[in-house]
Amino acid sequence: MTAFLAGASGCSSPATVPGDSPSPSPTAQEPTYERCVLDPEFRAVRRSGGKPSIRSSVHSPREGDWTDTVWIVASESERDALAYSTDAVGIDAAEAFVDNTDLSTRSLLLHQFEPPIGDCSVSRLTRLKLDEGRSAVALQYDHSPPPGGCEETDPDYVETTVVRIPPAFQDGLTAFSWGTALPGPNSC
């Protein structure tokens, strides 16, 4: 999968997307549309010192940079290839989340990045959207102070988002983008 980063992208309303009809969502209180998931199930991990929290022996990050990469885990062998850093905040919850994912019904998307928003903030995934051509997925984040606060002198950190994605989101993906949520209600 080729990855690229871009800014926040818009999202069409359900009424303007032909063929989409709401269905019950296994991951959120609101309906899920075929190409958009609000409040998806995810775990976030944070590691200081500019170091990644999760690596894989079967995934090669773009340009060898584990602090700016995205990949999909869709099989047991890909899950078994993950290596976790023990000094990352939230790593135990993320590892349990990965282990408890039924890969026959869901895949995992791992997004590892250095947030452009400063040291004293945490990213919370609010939306995942598949483009109409079904080749690009976009993640949308809100940013807020971490629980318990933080020191402004915290070293650089890398955040990792592990999110469960529907099977339709993994087939044929060639592009990826992420951005910050726009003010106002989060919708598809």
Side-chain angles (χ1 to χ4, degrees):
M1 175 166 88
T2 303
F4 69 88
L5 298 177
S9 60
C11 186
S12 299
S13 69
T16 64
V17 180
D20 264 357
S21 58
S23 61
S25 170
T27 62
Q29 297 298 327
E30 301 198 22
T32 294
Y33 292 84
E34 187 177 331
R35 292 186 301 269
C36 188
V37 178
L38 292 174
D39 298 319
E41 287 183 282
F42 77 98
R43 295 297 178 270
V45 182
R46 179 182 172 113
R47 186 174 185 206
S48 62
K51 299 176 185 171
S53 301
I54 303 174
R55 294 178 189 255
S56 169
S57 60
V58 297
H59 168 73
S60 297
R62 183 173 47 106
E63 299 177 17
D65 186 0
W66 281 102
T67 64
D68 179 14
T69 190
V70 60
W71 73 98
I72 291 177
V73 172
S75 69
E76 294 293 329
S77 62
E78 290 170 329
R79 178 175 24 212
D80 294 343
L82 297 177
Y84 302 90
S85 299
T86 58
D87 62 343
V89 175
I91 199 70
D92 293 336
E95 187 172 3
F97 183 77
V98 168
D99 290 345
N100 292 325
T101 299
D102 179 357
L103 294 175
S104 68
T105 62
R106 293 280 188 253
S107 293
L108 296 162
L109 183 140
L110 286 81
H111 176 215
Q112 203 149 245
F113 61 106
E114 294 176 291
I117 49 166
D119 291 337
C120 198
S121 183
V122 171
S123 302
R124 183 180 68 79
L125 184 62
T126 59
R127 182 178 70 183
L128 176 244
K129 185 174 188 292
L130 188 64
D131 74 348
E132 287 193 41
R134 297 185 183 273
S135 63
V137 67
L139 303 182
Q140 180 176 300
Y141 292 95
D142 278 338
H143 303 288
S144 59
C150 66
E151 298 290 325
E152 289 297 330
T153 59
D154 281 354
D156 290 337
Y157 64 92
V158 174
E159 284 197 27
T160 306
T161 301
V162 182
V163 59
R164 290 182 180 141
I165 60 172
F169 277 55
Q170 78 180 41
D171 297 331
L173 284 181
T174 59
F176 171 79
S177 66
W178 65 282
T180 302
L182 300 173
N186 188 19
S187 63
C188 287

mmCIF file of all heavy atoms in Angstrom, residues 110-142:
data_model
loop_
_atom_site.group_PDB
_atom_site.id
_atom_site.type_symbol
_atom_site.label_atom_id
_atom_site.label_comp_id
_atom_site.label_asym_id
_atom_site.label_seq_id
_atom_site.Cartn_x
_atom_site.Cartn_y
_atom_site.Cartn_z
ATOM 1 N N LEU A 110 -2.940 0.494 11.237
ATOM 2 C CA LEU A 110 -2.034 1.125 12.184
ATOM 3 C C LEU A 110 -1.481 2.379 11.550
ATOM 4 O O LEU A 110 -0.934 2.338 10.444
ATOM 5 C CB LEU A 110 -0.891 0.181 12.570
ATOM 6 C CG LEU A 110 -1.297 -0.950 13.505
ATOM 7 C CD1 LEU A 110 -1.932 -2.095 12.760
ATOM 8 C CD2 LEU A 110 -0.127 -1.424 14.320
ATOM 9 N N HIS A 111 -1.649 3.496 12.235
ATOM 10 C CA HIS A 111 -1.162 4.796 11.764
ATOM 11 C C HIS A 111 -0.194 5.318 12.814
ATOM 12 O O HIS A 111 -0.597 5.590 13.943
ATOM 13 C CB HIS A 111 -2.328 5.763 11.577
ATOM 14 C CG HIS A 111 -1.908 7.133 11.181
ATOM 15 N ND1 HIS A 111 -2.575 8.254 11.609
ATOM 16 C CD2 HIS A 111 -0.887 7.582 10.403
ATOM 17 C CE1 HIS A 111 -2.001 9.324 11.110
ATOM 18 N NE2 HIS A 111 -0.975 8.942 10.374
ATOM 19 N N GLN A 112 1.051 5.436 12.453
ATOM 20 C CA GLN A 112 2.089 5.895 13.378
ATOM 21 C C GLN A 112 2.627 7.215 12.845
ATOM 22 O O GLN A 112 3.034 7.299 11.687
ATOM 23 C CB GLN A 112 3.198 4.834 13.438
ATOM 24 C CG GLN A 112 4.025 4.872 14.678
ATOM 25 C CD GLN A 112 4.520 3.483 15.045
ATOM 26 O OE1 GLN A 112 4.134 2.981 16.078
ATOM 27 N NE2 GLN A 112 5.352 2.880 14.237
ATOM 28 N N PHE A 113 2.628 8.259 13.687
ATOM 29 C CA PHE A 113 2.947 9.591 13.187
ATOM 30 C C PHE A 113 3.455 10.503 14.299
ATOM 31 O O PHE A 113 3.227 10.262 15.474
ATOM 32 C CB PHE A 113 1.721 10.212 12.526
ATOM 33 C CG PHE A 113 0.540 10.400 13.454
ATOM 34 C CD1 PHE A 113 0.198 11.657 13.916
ATOM 35 C CD2 PHE A 113 -0.232 9.316 13.859
ATOM 36 C CE1 PHE A 113 -0.894 11.833 14.769
ATOM 37 C CE2 PHE A 113 -1.322 9.478 14.696
ATOM 38 C CZ PHE A 113 -1.650 10.744 15.166
ATOM 39 N N GLU A 114 4.145 11.559 13.889
ATOM 40 C CA GLU A 114 4.561 12.617 14.798
ATOM 41 C C GLU A 114 3.554 13.747 14.631
ATOM 42 O O GLU A 114 3.531 14.402 13.594
ATOM 43 C CB GLU A 114 5.970 13.102 14.459
ATOM 44 C CG GLU A 114 7.025 12.042 14.689
ATOM 45 C CD GLU A 114 8.395 12.495 14.259
ATOM 46 O OE1 GLU A 114 8.610 12.640 13.043
ATOM 47 O OE2 GLU A 114 9.240 12.697 15.143
ATOM 48 N N PRO A 115 2.697 13.961 15.630
ATOM 49 C CA PRO A 115 1.653 14.982 15.487
ATOM 50 C C PRO A 115 2.256 16.370 15.298
ATOM 51 O O PRO A 115 3.237 16.706 15.947
ATOM 52 C CB PRO A 115 0.879 14.910 16.799
ATOM 53 C CG PRO A 115 1.232 13.593 17.378
ATOM 54 C CD PRO A 115 2.613 13.273 16.896
ATOM 55 N N PRO A 116 1.669 17.166 14.426
ATOM 56 C CA PRO A 116 2.189 18.510 14.176
ATOM 57 C C PRO A 116 1.659 19.540 15.160
ATOM 58 O O PRO A 116 1.788 20.727 14.932
ATOM 59 C CB PRO A 116 1.654 18.801 12.768
ATOM 60 C CG PRO A 116 0.358 18.071 12.730
ATOM 61 C CD PRO A 116 0.588 16.811 13.529
ATOM 62 N N ILE A 117 1.078 19.111 16.252
ATOM 63 C CA ILE A 117 0.310 20.015 17.105
ATOM 64 C C ILE A 117 0.982 20.359 18.421
ATOM 65 O O ILE A 117 0.416 21.020 19.254
ATOM 66 C CB ILE A 117 -1.067 19.403 17.393
ATOM 67 C CG1 ILE A 117 -0.862 17.977 17.834
ATOM 68 C CG2 ILE A 117 -1.959 19.495 16.174
ATOM 69 C CD1 ILE A 117 -1.998 17.308 18.450
ATOM 70 N N GLY A 118 2.194 19.910 18.667
ATOM 71 C CA GLY A 118 2.886 20.238 19.902
ATOM 72 C C GLY A 118 2.871 19.091 20.881
ATOM 73 O O GLY A 118 2.191 18.089 20.699
ATOM 74 N N ASP A 119 3.666 19.249 21.906
ATOM 75 C CA ASP A 119 3.885 18.160 22.845
ATOM 76 C C ASP A 119 2.711 17.877 23.769
ATOM 77 O O ASP A 119 2.518 16.750 24.188
ATOM 78 C CB ASP A 119 5.098 18.461 23.720
ATOM 79 C CG ASP A 119 6.391 18.423 22.930
ATOM 80 O OD1 ASP A 119 6.422 17.775 21.875
ATOM 81 O OD2 ASP A 119 7.350 19.043 23.384
ATOM 82 N N CYS A 120 1.938 18.883 24.130
ATOM 83 C CA CYS A 120 0.912 18.694 25.151
ATOM 84 C C CYS A 120 -0.463 18.527 24.507
ATOM 85 O O CYS A 120 -1.354 19.346 24.667
ATOM 86 C CB CYS A 120 0.924 19.853 26.134
ATOM 87 S SG CYS A 120 0.084 19.444 27.675
ATOM 88 N N SER A 121 -0.625 17.460 23.756
ATOM 89 C CA SER A 121 -1.890 17.182 23.099
ATOM 90 C C SER A 121 -1.969 15.696 22.783
ATOM 91 O O SER A 121 -0.953 15.035 22.591
ATOM 92 C CB SER A 121 -2.002 17.988 21.813
ATOM 93 O OG SER A 121 -3.233 17.775 21.207
ATOM 94 N N VAL A 122 -3.191 15.166 22.741
ATOM 95 C CA VAL A 122 -3.427 13.774 22.382
ATOM 96 C C VAL A 122 -4.428 13.761 21.235
ATOM 97 O O VAL A 122 -5.386 14.532 21.221
ATOM 98 C CB VAL A 122 -3.989 12.982 23.589
ATOM 99 C CG1 VAL A 122 -4.435 11.598 23.174
ATOM 100 C CG2 VAL A 122 -2.953 12.883 24.684
ATOM 101 N N SER A 123 -4.202 12.886 20.270
ATOM 102 C CA SER A 123 -5.103 12.765 19.131
ATOM 103 C C SER A 123 -6.156 11.709 19.434
ATOM 104 O O SER A 123 -5.852 10.651 19.945
ATOM 105 C CB SER A 123 -4.317 12.345 17.885
ATOM 106 O OG SER A 123 -3.305 13.270 17.619
ATOM 107 N N ARG A 124 -7.430 12.043 19.119
ATOM 108 C CA ARG A 124 -8.532 11.089 19.284
ATOM 109 C C ARG A 124 -9.189 10.918 17.924
ATOM 110 O O ARG A 124 -9.647 11.876 17.300
ATOM 111 C CB ARG A 124 -9.549 11.619 20.293
ATOM 112 C CG ARG A 124 -10.695 10.637 20.581
ATOM 113 C CD ARG A 124 -11.686 11.198 21.590
ATOM 114 N NE ARG A 124 -12.444 12.322 21.090
ATOM 115 C CZ ARG A 124 -13.510 12.228 20.276
ATOM 116 N NH1 ARG A 124 -13.923 11.060 19.871
ATOM 117 N NH2 ARG A 124 -14.138 13.309 19.866
ATOM 118 N N LEU A 125 -9.215 9.673 17.454
ATOM 119 C CA LEU A 125 -9.790 9.381 16.148
ATOM 120 C C LEU A 125 -11.309 9.552 16.206
ATOM 121 O O LEU A 125 -11.967 8.982 17.069
ATOM 122 C CB LEU A 125 -9.435 7.946 15.729
ATOM 123 C CG LEU A 125 -9.865 7.511 14.354
ATOM 124 C CD1 LEU A 125 -9.202 8.364 13.273
ATOM 125 C CD2 LEU A 125 -9.523 6.047 14.145
ATOM 126 N N THR A 126 -11.854 10.361 15.309
ATOM 127 C CA THR A 126 -13.291 10.618 15.310
ATOM 128 C C THR A 126 -14.014 10.071 14.082
ATOM 129 O O THR A 126 -15.212 9.864 14.122
ATOM 130 C CB THR A 126 -13.582 12.131 15.392
ATOM 131 O OG1 THR A 126 -12.985 12.776 14.269
ATOM 132 C CG2 THR A 126 -13.062 12.711 16.696
ATOM 133 N N ARG A 127 -13.272 9.855 12.984
ATOM 134 C CA ARG A 127 -13.942 9.402 11.770
ATOM 135 C C ARG A 127 -12.946 8.706 10.838
ATOM 136 O O ARG A 127 -11.796 9.069 10.752
ATOM 137 C CB ARG A 127 -14.549 10.593 11.040
ATOM 138 C CG ARG A 127 -15.308 10.194 9.797
ATOM 139 C CD ARG A 127 -15.928 11.376 9.115
ATOM 140 N NE ARG A 127 -14.880 12.211 8.523
ATOM 141 C CZ ARG A 127 -15.115 13.350 7.915
ATOM 142 N NH1 ARG A 127 -16.328 13.827 7.840
ATOM 143 N NH2 ARG A 127 -14.131 14.050 7.399
ATOM 144 N N LEU A 128 -13.450 7.704 10.149
ATOM 145 C CA LEU A 128 -12.700 7.014 9.094
ATOM 146 C C LEU A 128 -13.584 7.045 7.865
ATOM 147 O O LEU A 128 -14.781 6.784 7.951
ATOM 148 C CB LEU A 128 -12.519 5.656 9.611
ATOM 149 C CG LEU A 128 -12.084 4.360 9.481
ATOM 150 C CD1 LEU A 128 -12.755 3.189 9.459
ATOM 151 C CD2 LEU A 128 -10.708 4.314 9.854
ATOM 152 N N LYS A 129 -13.021 7.385 6.731
ATOM 153 C CA LYS A 129 -13.832 7.509 5.520
ATOM 154 C C LYS A 129 -13.077 6.923 4.345
ATOM 155 O O LYS A 129 -11.894 7.145 4.176
ATOM 156 C CB LYS A 129 -14.135 8.980 5.247
ATOM 157 C CG LYS A 129 -15.085 9.170 4.079
ATOM 158 C CD LYS A 129 -15.465 10.620 3.934
ATOM 159 C CE LYS A 129 -16.545 10.831 2.920
ATOM 160 N NZ LYS A 129 -16.212 10.574 1.558
ATOM 161 N N LEU A 130 -13.795 6.175 3.527
ATOM 162 C CA LEU A 130 -13.270 5.591 2.299
ATOM 163 C C LEU A 130 -13.767 6.434 1.136
ATOM 164 O O LEU A 130 -14.953 6.762 1.075
ATOM 165 C CB LEU A 130 -13.781 4.155 2.175
ATOM 166 C CG LEU A 130 -13.214 3.289 1.076
ATOM 167 C CD1 LEU A 130 -11.722 3.049 1.288
ATOM 168 C CD2 LEU A 130 -13.944 1.950 1.043
ATOM 169 N N ASP A 131 -12.871 6.794 0.221
ATOM 170 C CA ASP A 131 -13.306 7.617 -0.903
ATOM 171 C C ASP A 131 -14.220 6.818 -1.840
ATOM 172 O O ASP A 131 -14.317 5.603 -1.747
ATOM 173 C CB ASP A 131 -12.109 8.194 -1.670
ATOM 174 C CG ASP A 131 -11.382 7.174 -2.528
ATOM 175 O OD1 ASP A 131 -11.634 5.963 -2.391
ATOM 176 O OD2 ASP A 131 -10.547 7.599 -3.336
ATOM 177 N N GLU A 132 -14.892 7.528 -2.743
ATOM 178 C CA GLU A 132 -15.866 6.875 -3.620
ATOM 179 C C GLU A 132 -15.239 5.830 -4.529
ATOM 180 O O GLU A 132 -15.872 4.857 -4.892
ATOM 181 C CB GLU A 132 -16.629 7.916 -4.431
ATOM 182 C CG GLU A 132 -17.624 8.666 -3.573
ATOM 183 C CD GLU A 132 -18.592 9.476 -4.390
ATOM 184 O OE1 GLU A 132 -19.055 8.979 -5.434
ATOM 185 O OE2 GLU A 132 -18.905 10.596 -3.970
ATOM 186 N N GLY A 133 -13.985 6.011 -4.902
ATOM 187 C CA GLY A 133 -13.310 5.037 -5.738
ATOM 188 C C GLY A 133 -12.795 3.844 -4.945
ATOM 189 O O GLY A 133 -12.266 2.903 -5.505
ATOM 190 N N ARG A 134 -12.975 3.884 -3.629
ATOM 191 C CA ARG A 134 -12.560 2.819 -2.708
ATOM 192 C C ARG A 134 -11.071 2.518 -2.779
ATOM 193 O O ARG A 134 -10.644 1.402 -2.559
ATOM 194 C CB ARG A 134 -13.362 1.546 -2.953
ATOM 195 C CG ARG A 134 -14.833 1.732 -2.699
ATOM 196 C CD ARG A 134 -15.589 0.436 -2.838
ATOM 197 N NE ARG A 134 -17.001 0.667 -2.658
ATOM 198 C CZ ARG A 134 -17.623 0.677 -1.505
ATOM 199 N NH1 ARG A 134 -16.968 0.465 -0.407
ATOM 200 N NH2 ARG A 134 -18.912 0.888 -1.444
ATOM 201 N N SER A 135 -10.261 3.555 -3.033
ATOM 202 C CA SER A 135 -8.824 3.330 -3.079
ATOM 203 C C SER A 135 -8.075 4.131 -2.021
ATOM 204 O O SER A 135 -6.894 3.889 -1.809
ATOM 205 C CB SER A 135 -8.277 3.681 -4.462
ATOM 206 O OG SER A 135 -8.478 5.055 -4.735
ATOM 207 N N ALA A 136 -8.729 5.074 -1.364
ATOM 208 C CA ALA A 136 -8.063 5.906 -0.359
ATOM 209 C C ALA A 136 -8.898 5.966 0.909
ATOM 210 O O ALA A 136 -10.116 6.096 0.862
ATOM 211 C CB ALA A 136 -7.846 7.316 -0.895
ATOM 212 N N VAL A 137 -8.228 5.872 2.040
ATOM 213 C CA VAL A 137 -8.897 6.000 3.326
ATOM 214 C C VAL A 137 -8.369 7.261 4.006
ATOM 215 O O VAL A 137 -7.187 7.597 3.881
ATOM 216 C CB VAL A 137 -8.691 4.740 4.219
ATOM 217 C CG1 VAL A 137 -7.259 4.578 4.643
ATOM 218 C CG2 VAL A 137 -9.617 4.760 5.419
ATOM 219 N N ALA A 138 -9.256 7.970 4.689
ATOM 220 C CA ALA A 138 -8.888 9.188 5.405
ATOM 221 C C ALA A 138 -9.285 9.036 6.869
ATOM 222 O O ALA A 138 -10.386 8.574 7.179
ATOM 223 C CB ALA A 138 -9.591 10.398 4.797
ATOM 224 N N LEU A 139 -8.380 9.424 7.765
ATOM 225 C CA LEU A 139 -8.653 9.444 9.199
ATOM 226 C C LEU A 139 -8.801 10.892 9.629
ATOM 227 O O LEU A 139 -8.061 11.757 9.163
ATOM 228 C CB LEU A 139 -7.505 8.807 9.993
ATOM 229 C CG LEU A 139 -7.117 7.379 9.654
ATOM 230 C CD1 LEU A 139 -6.003 6.911 10.580
ATOM 231 C CD2 LEU A 139 -8.297 6.452 9.747
ATOM 232 N N GLN A 140 -9.744 11.140 10.531
ATOM 233 C CA GLN A 140 -9.940 12.483 11.067
ATOM 234 C C GLN A 140 -9.771 12.439 12.571
ATOM 235 O O GLN A 140 -10.355 11.587 13.243
ATOM 236 C CB GLN A 140 -11.333 12.992 10.709
ATOM 237 C CG GLN A 140 -11.612 14.388 11.237
ATOM 238 C CD GLN A 140 -12.961 14.870 10.774
ATOM 239 O OE1 GLN A 140 -13.210 14.972 9.580
ATOM 240 N NE2 GLN A 140 -13.835 15.157 11.712
ATOM 241 N N TYR A 141 -8.955 13.349 13.111
ATOM 242 C CA TYR A 141 -8.639 13.394 14.537
ATOM 243 C C TYR A 141 -9.102 14.691 15.183
ATOM 244 O O TYR A 141 -9.104 15.735 14.538
ATOM 245 C CB TYR A 141 -7.123 13.317 14.746
ATOM 246 C CG TYR A 141 -6.477 12.009 14.387
ATOM 247 C CD1 TYR A 141 -5.903 11.811 13.138
ATOM 248 C CD2 TYR A 141 -6.411 10.969 15.306
ATOM 249 C CE1 TYR A 141 -5.283 10.609 12.812
ATOM 250 C CE2 TYR A 141 -5.792 9.772 14.994
ATOM 251 C CZ TYR A 141 -5.230 9.599 13.744
ATOM 252 O OH TYR A 141 -4.615 8.417 13.437
ATOM 253 N N ASP A 142 -9.468 14.602 16.464
ATOM 254 C CA ASP A 142 -9.596 15.764 17.343
ATOM 255 C C ASP A 142 -8.359 15.750 18.224
ATOM 256 O O ASP A 142 -7.813 14.685 18.513
ATOM 257 C CB ASP A 142 -10.827 15.650 18.254
ATOM 258 C CG ASP A 142 -12.110 16.072 17.556
ATOM 259 O OD1 ASP A 142 -12.038 16.817 16.568
ATOM 260 O OD2 ASP A 142 -13.180 15.647 18.011
#
